[in-house]
Amino acid sequence: MRSSQIGRTSAAASPRVKWRRLQVFQCPNNQTVCGSLCVDQATDINNCGACGSFCDVSLACCGGSCANLDSSNDHCGACGARCPGQCTLGICNYGAAAGGGGGGGAR
């Protein structure tokens, strides 16, 4: 388990140093203390890869990196869903799946 010591303070203006009781937070092995919360930095969009590292609203946190599930070939439609072709709108090889060529305009 990971732990963090939070709450240690001193009274710098006083010649005597006073310490507040130390609080120790313990998180499960796959989580880290960020502030006063246990988070999974591999998936938490507010702490992606590091405490306070935010992903944009249109992105997901995949393995500690922000990813666009609509266009990422490493995370096509879902974290870890690898697309060997082109990821479009979260669908691997969208043009091929929709019937090919992509020239679907009016004639």
Side-chain angles (χ1 to χ4, degrees), residues 11 17 29 72 81 90:
V17 176
N29 287 333
S72 171

Side-chain angles (χ1 to χ4, degrees), residues 40-84:
D40 183 348
Q41 292 179 340
T43 59
D44 189 316
I45 61 169
N46 295 315
N47 301 283
C48 189
C51 292
S53 178
F54 296 89
C55 291
D56 187 66
V57 69
S58 63
L59 304 177
C61 182
C62 297
S65 297
C66 297
N68 186 330
L69 300 182
D70 287 338
S71 62
S72 171
N73 285 342
D74 292 326
H75 308 285
C76 188
C79 290
R82 180 104 174 93
C83 177

